[in-house]
Amino acid sequence: MKLKFGTKLSYGIGGIADNTMYTFASTYLLFYLTTIVGISPAIAGTITAIGSVWEAIVGPITGYVSDNINTRWGKRKPFLLAAAFPIAIVSTLLFTSIDASDGFKLVYYLIMTLGFWTCFGGFFVPYMAWGADLTEDYDDRTVLRSYAYFFNQVGMAVGMVLPTIVVDKLVQIGMSTEFGWQMVGLMVGVVAGGGLLICALTNHISDDKNYVKAPTKQKILSLGKLKEMFLNYGHILKLKPVQYIVFASISYLIANTFFSSDRVYFMTFNLKLESDEISLTMLEITLLGIVLVPFVSILSSKFDKKYILAVGLGIGGATLMVMRFVGISSFTGTLVLCAVYSIANTCYWQLMPSVIYDVCEVEAFASGEHHHGEVISLQALSESLSMAVGFQALGIILEGAGFVSDNAEQGAEALSWIENCFDFIPGLLMIFAMIAILKYPVNKDVYKRMMKLVDKGGEEFTPAEKEEESKLKKILKIDVKK
C-alpha cells in the first residue's frame, strides 16, 4: 500500500531536526570552540569526539528500546516528543561563551556537548526506524526519504547557512560575537524541537498496531536484555550487506566531517572570504540539494538507487581530489567545488537511508524477525564514530600543522593542511565509499525476490521457494535461518 501525501509530508518535517543539529555541530562546533571560546584545536577535537562517541552509545540503546517498547503512542513517537524541549535548552547552553578558567571551560563544554548528542541520539534512530515501519515498498521508501531529505535541506539552511548571517547581523547592530552565537544556538534548538513536535503530533499512523496495555511493568534494559541487545548487534554485523553499508557510511561520513568542519577554516584563513561570501557558499549547497531532490528520485527509480548513489559519490570524490592539484584560489573556485560536493551529499543523504531500510529486510530474511531500530541504529553509530574520528583527526592535524586560533594569519604548513582537509582527504574517502556501495549485493530485483520470502511470515517454503532461498543466500552471502 502506497503512503498518502500527508503521511509523507508529516514524516518529512521531522528531517528538519535531524539536519539542523547535525550540520550545525559538524560545521561550527569545532570552529566555535577554537576561535570563539579559545580552546586549543587538539583539545576541542577531543571534546567534540567524546560527544560523538557518547552519541554512538545512546543511538543503539534507543534503537533497541524503541524496537521493544510498548506504548499506546507507538514505538517511535514517544522518543521524538521526549527530545523536543530539552534540545532548545542544551543547544543554547552549548553555544554560550563563559568567562572561566581553562579547566572549567573544558568540563562545561564537554558536559554541554554530551547533552547535545544525548538529545540527538534520543530521537534520531527512532525517527529513522519509523520510516522503515511506515512502508516496505522499495520505491516508496525512496520517495519517503525524498520528502525527509527536502526538509533536511531546510534544516541545513538553519544549521549551516543562517549562523554566520545571524552572528554578522547582530554584531552590526552592536551585539557581541559571543551573544550572536548564543542566539544561533537558541535558534537551532527551537527549530529542531519544533520539527520533532510537528512530526510526532501530525503523523497519526501508528508504528505499533498491535499495542496491548501490559498488566505489569516490564524491564526493557535489564542485564539479560542488554546481553540480548549486544548479541543481536553481533548477529547483524556479521551480515555481509550490513558490513558493506557500514563501511560505506563510515567512509563518507568521515569525509563529510572533514569537509564540513574544515571549510569554515579554509574560507576564513586560506581565501579570507567575508562572512556574506561564506554564507553564500553554504546557501549554494542547500539550494542545490533541494533542486537535485527530484532528479535523484527519478534517476533512482529508473536506474536503481544503488548505482545512482555510487555514481554521485564517485563524481564528488574524484572532483575533490583533482581540485587539490588544480588549486582553489578564489571564491568562484569554492563555489564550483561546493556545487560538486552537493551532488555527492544529496545522493548520500537522500538515498543511503532508503538503502538502510532495505538492509532491515535483509536482516529479517536472515533472522526471521524484524529489528528495524537496531539495524538503523548502526547508521547512527556510523555517524557518531565517523564524526568522532573526523573531529579528532582534524583537530590533531590543525594543531600539528601549527594552527594558532588567535592569529588572523596562519603559516604556510597550516594553510596547506587546511586545504588537504577540505578537498583531497574527503575526496579519497568518498571513493572508498563508492567502492563499498558497488560491492553491496542488494538491488531492486534482489530486494523483490527476497521480500516474497520474507512476506511468508514463517510459513513452510515450497520446493521452488527453498531453491530461491538458496540462490539469494549465495547472492547476499548470509546464513538464512528458517
Side-chain angles (χ1 to χ4, degrees):
M1 179 179 176
K2 296 287 186 179
L3 292 176
K4 294 181 179 179
F5 169 76
T7 302
K8 295 174 184 176
L9 179 64
S10 178
Y11 177 80
I13 290 173
I16 293 175
D18 166 8
N19 225 25
T20 296
M21 296 183 68
Y22 185 85
T23 57
F24 184 50
S26 64
T27 302
Y28 295 110
L29 183 54
L30 187 65
F31 184 80
Y32 173 79
L33 292 177
T34 54
T35 63
I36 305 300
V37 178
I39 298 175
S40 72
I43 294 177
T46 300
I47 291 174
T48 51
I50 290 174
S52 296
V53 170
W54 173 246
E55 202 270 316
I57 297 172
V58 174
I61 292 175
T62 55
Y64 176 83
V65 173
S66 71
D67 272 345
N68 293 278
I69 200 171
N70 184 30
T71 83
R72 68 182 64 191
W73 300 285
K75 295 177 177 293
R76 320 298 182 184
K77 186 181 293 188
F79 292 89
L80 278 66
L81 293 172
F85 290 103
I87 285 172
I89 298 171
V90 174
S91 63
T92 304
L93 293 176
L94 176 57
F95 281 81
T96 295
S97 182
I98 61 172
D99 184 13
S101 66
D102 291 342
F104 188 86
K105 283 183 179 180
L106 191 154
V107 173
Y108 174 84
Y109 288 107
L110 176 58
I111 292 173
M112 291 303 110
T113 300
L114 293 175
F116 183 90
W117 289 116
T118 298
C119 290
F120 182 87
F123 78 82
F124 177 70
V125 174
Y127 171 69
M128 290 284 290
W130 199 356
D133 296 334
L134 289 173
T135 178
E136 293 181 351
D137 185 85
Y138 188 83
D139 292 322
D140 211 22
R141 283 177 165 177
T142 302
V143 173
L144 181 65
R145 285 309 309 174
S146 296
Y147 277 78
Y149 184 73
F150 174 84
F151 286 101
N152 277 165
Q153 297 308 102
V154 176
M156 183 181 290
V158 176
M160 188 178 75
V161 180
L162 289 182
T164 53
I165 296 175
V166 171
V167 172
D168 187 53
K169 295 301 180 185
L170 289 175
V171 170
Q172 288 179 13
I173 64 173
M175 302 297 179
S176 67
T177 302
E178 290 78 8
F179 178 78
W181 280 106
Q182 185 180 38
M183 289 300 98
V184 166
L186 175 62
M187 173 187 71
V188 165
V190 169
V191 170
L196 290 179
L197 285 176
I198 294 172
C199 176
L201 297 177
T202 60
N203 195 336
H204 301 300
I205 295 183
S206 174
D207 49 62
D208 188 4
K209 300 179 179 62
N210 300 315
Y211 167 73
V212 177
K213 187 174 181 180
T216 57
K217 292 184 178 180
Q218 299 178 348
K219 291 184 178 180
I220 297 176
L221 279 179
S222 63
L223 288 176
K225 292 291 185 180
L226 283 172
K227 180 180 179 180
E228 177 186 322
M229 180 184 75
F230 286 115
L231 286 174
N232 285 347
Y233 280 121
H235 291 312
I236 292 169
L237 284 170
K238 288 179 181 179
L239 299 173
K240 280 291 184 182
V242 173
Q243 292 172 9
Y244 287 130
I245 292 304
V246 168
F247 180 83
S249 290
I250 289 176
S251 296
Y252 179 80
L253 291 166
I254 294 177
N256 186 61
T257 300
F258 265 91
F259 184 90
S260 298
S261 298
D262 186 72
R263 62 189 164 199
V264 183
Y265 289 96
F266 180 78
M267 289 185 279
T268 300
F269 296 102
N270 291 54
L271 298 184
K272 299 189 181 301
L273 299 183
E274 299 294 333
S275 59
D276 58 340
E277 292 177 309
I278 295 175
S279 298
L280 186 59
T281 63
M282 306 294 190
L283 180 61
E284 178 200 24
I285 293 172
T286 303
L287 293 179
L288 279 176
I290 294 173
V291 170
L292 289 170
V293 167
F295 294 101
V296 171
S297 183
I298 293 170
L299 289 172
S300 299
S301 177
K302 187 174 182 179
F303 297 106
D304 202 298
K305 57 191 171 189
K306 165 184 171 178
Y307 301 111
I308 300 303
L309 176 56
V311 169
L313 295 176
I315 291 173
T319 303
L320 261 64
M321 293 175 70
V322 169
M323 289 296 285
R324 178 62 183 96
F325 299 102
V326 173
I328 307 168
S329 57
S330 66
F331 175 57
T332 302
T334 305
L335 290 176
V336 171
L337 186 64
C338 288
V340 178
Y341 163 79
S342 292
I343 296 174
N345 196 53
T346 301
C347 288
Y348 180 86
W349 292 110
Q350 187 173 342
L351 299 178
M352 182 58 87
S354 178
V355 171
I356 293 169
Y357 289 166
D358 299 340
V359 174
C360 291
E361 310 308 333
V362 173
E363 191 275 334
F365 182 55
S367 68
E369 300 176 354
H370 281 91
H371 303 102
H372 288 175
E374 291 168 75
V375 174
I376 289 172
S377 68
L378 294 177
Q379 171 67 4
L381 183 67
S382 299
E383 289 189 18
S384 305
L385 294 179
S386 301
M387 288 187 73
V389 172
F391 279 140
Q392 186 67 82
L394 181 57
I396 291 173
I397 289 172
L398 291 178
E399 182 117 343
F403 178 85
V404 181
S405 58
D406 293 333
N407 293 354
E409 300 288 338
Q410 301 294 331
E413 186 176 4
L415 295 176
S416 178
W417 276 102
I418 287 174
E419 185 168 359
N420 285 332
C421 294
F422 180 60
D423 44 36
F424 186 82
I425 295 176
L428 182 61
L429 290 168
M430 285 184 191
I431 296 298
F432 290 158
M434 177 198 71
I435 294 171
I437 291 297
L438 290 174
K439 292 180 72 66
Y440 169 67
V442 180
N443 55 31
K444 185 183 292 188
D445 177 65
V446 170
Y447 180 83
K448 288 182 177 179
R449 291 165 57 189
M450 179 181 67
M451 288 306 296
K452 287 181 180 179
L453 299 182
V454 172
D455 289 341
K456 293 282 288 188
E459 297 178 14
E460 185 69 25
F461 283 172
T462 65
E465 287 171 338
K466 289 181 179 179
E467 183 179 353
E468 175 71 346
E469 179 190 43
S470 179
K471 291 178 181 178
L472 287 171
K473 175 181 175 180
K474 292 179 180 179
I475 293 172
L476 299 172
K477 300 178 182 178
I478 60 175
D479 293 323
V480 181
K481 298 175 182 179
K482 275 302 239 182

